[in-house]
């Protein structure tokens, strides 16, 4: 039998697991809610998006004893995570993305997971402000406009404080500066082509003048001889 400490050791060993798909923990009554939370973080860590993507996506089944009230929520969320692993059996990357969409980008689910895992910061603190429109669009497509409205309503003031206006302006300036440099290079190429064409035209004109002078000179010489 193992207790919370044993669960911690087990979870550390399974953090980068790519082969074990089932874990039977029935009969281990020494595992408390704390130990169950450690298991939950193994399969779906919501401390940040990167942690969710790097969670264990290989475990498909975790068998446990009947839960207590709080334990029920933990086991329900463990089951949700392992079901996603089962659904994305052949792609751990796809499992990670779906966990982000289904848990990080769903306000009610994320709130419950954050409470269970003692996470107290907003998701939007770690998202580049320039990517927020794409994130909101993804929320709308995945969870509907009702969820999108709830997210915007609950986080609008935080969004204003999160958005770094100076950074946005700097990025916009860099974008336009790159465009200016691109157009300047193109203009220089066109100037070079025009200069080459003008040189060719000038050379052709000078050659025409030389021919005309030669013809006139020959005409004058012939007249004098007559």
């Amino acid at each position: 039998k193992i207790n919370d400490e044993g669960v911690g050791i087990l979870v550390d060993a399974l953090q980068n697991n790519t082969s074990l798909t089932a874990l039977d923990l029935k009969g281990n009554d020494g595992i408390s809610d704390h130990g169950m939370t450690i298991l939950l973080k193994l399969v779906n860590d919501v401390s940040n998006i990167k942690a969710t993507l790097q969670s264990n996506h290989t475990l498909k089944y975790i068998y446990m004893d009947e839960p207590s009230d709080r334990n029920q929520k933990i086991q329900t969320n463990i089951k949700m995570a392992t079901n996603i692993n089962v659904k994305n059996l052949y792609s751990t990357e796809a499992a990670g993305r779906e966990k982000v969409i289904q848990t990080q980008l769903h306000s009610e689910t994320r709130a419950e997971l954050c409470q269970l895992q003692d996470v107290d910061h907003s998701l939007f603190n770690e998202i580049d402000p320039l990517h927020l429109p794409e994130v909101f669009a993804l929320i709308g497509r995945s969870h509907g406009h009702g969820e999108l409205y709830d997210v915007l309503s609950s986080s609008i003031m935080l969004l204003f404080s999160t958005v770094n206006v100076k950074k946005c302006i700097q990025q916009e300036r860099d974008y336009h500066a790159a465009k200016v440099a691109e157009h300047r290079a193109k203009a220089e190429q066109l100037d070079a082509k025009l200069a080459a064409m003008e040189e060719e035209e000038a050379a052709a004109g000078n050659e025409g003048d030389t021919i005309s002078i030669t013809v006139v000179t020959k005409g004058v010489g012939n007249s004098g001889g007559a």
Side-chain angles (χ1 to χ4, degrees):
K1 290 188 176 183
I2 63 173
N3 53 18
D4 291 348
E5 183 179 356
V7 169
I9 296 172
L10 184 62
V11 164
D12 287 341
L14 293 175
Q15 198 66 54
N16 298 313
N17 163 62
T18 58
S19 57
L20 185 67
T21 59
L23 185 63
D24 190 349
L25 295 174
K26 286 185 176 181
N28 291 287
D29 51 12
I31 301 176
S32 68
D33 291 349
H34 175 68
M36 297 301 295
T37 301
I38 296 175
L39 283 170
L40 173 58
K41 293 189 70 173
L42 171 67
V43 290
N44 191 13
D45 186 344
V46 297
S47 56
N48 54 62
I49 292 177
K50 183 178 181 181
T52 301
L53 292 172
Q54 293 180 343
S55 297
N56 184 300
H57 309 308
T58 303
L59 275 172
K60 308 297 187 294
Y61 308 99
I62 299 179
Y63 303 105
M64 296 166 284
D65 292 327
E66 288 298 318
S68 61
D69 290 340
R70 174 180 168 82
N71 204 302
Q72 175 69 62
K73 289 184 178 181
I74 300 173
Q75 287 203 27
T76 297
N77 282 286
I78 289 175
K79 184 68 174 177
M80 178 190 298
T82 54
N83 281 344
I84 291 176
N85 291 352
V86 170
K87 181 180 177 181
N88 298 277
L89 179 63
Y90 301 107
S91 175
T92 56
E93 291 184 3
R97 287 194 299 270
E98 185 168 349
K99 286 176 185 178
V100 170
I101 293 172
Q102 297 301 329
T103 60
Q104 291 280 23
L105 299 184
H106 189 278
S107 58
E108 186 175 337
T109 304
R110 185 176 189 277
E112 181 172 290
L113 283 165
C114 286
Q115 182 179 22
L116 292 173
Q117 298 184 24
D118 294 324
V119 176
D120 61 359
H121 65 269
S122 170
L123 171 69
F124 299 106
N125 288 337
E126 57 184 289
I127 297 177
D128 189 319
L130 294 179
H131 295 160
L132 287 176
E134 298 173 21
V135 173
F136 291 145
L138 180 58
I139 291 173
R141 289 195 305 270
S142 303
H143 304 299
H145 293 104
E147 173 63 19
L148 177 59
Y149 175 80
D150 290 342
V151 169
L152 290 172
S153 299
S154 63
S155 59
I156 190 66
M157 294 308 297
L158 180 60
L159 288 176
F160 278 122
S161 63
T162 299
V163 173
N164 188 328
V165 178
K166 182 178 179 181
K167 182 178 180 181
C168 289
I169 293 174
Q170 288 174 334
Q171 291 180 331
E172 185 176 3
R173 180 204 61 193
D174 292 343
Y175 170 81
H176 289 294
K179 285 296 182 182
V180 167
E182 180 182 340
H183 292 312
R184 182 180 294 114
K186 185 64 177 179
E188 290 175 353
Q189 292 177 2
L190 295 174
D191 285 341
K193 288 183 178 181
L194 286 173
M197 292 174 66
E198 290 172 355
E199 288 179 2
E200 290 176 0
E201 291 173 353
N206 291 335
E207 184 178 348
D209 291 342
T210 302
I211 293 173
S212 298
I213 292 172
T214 302
V215 171
V216 171
T217 301
K218 287 182 177 181
V220 172
N222 292 336
S223 177

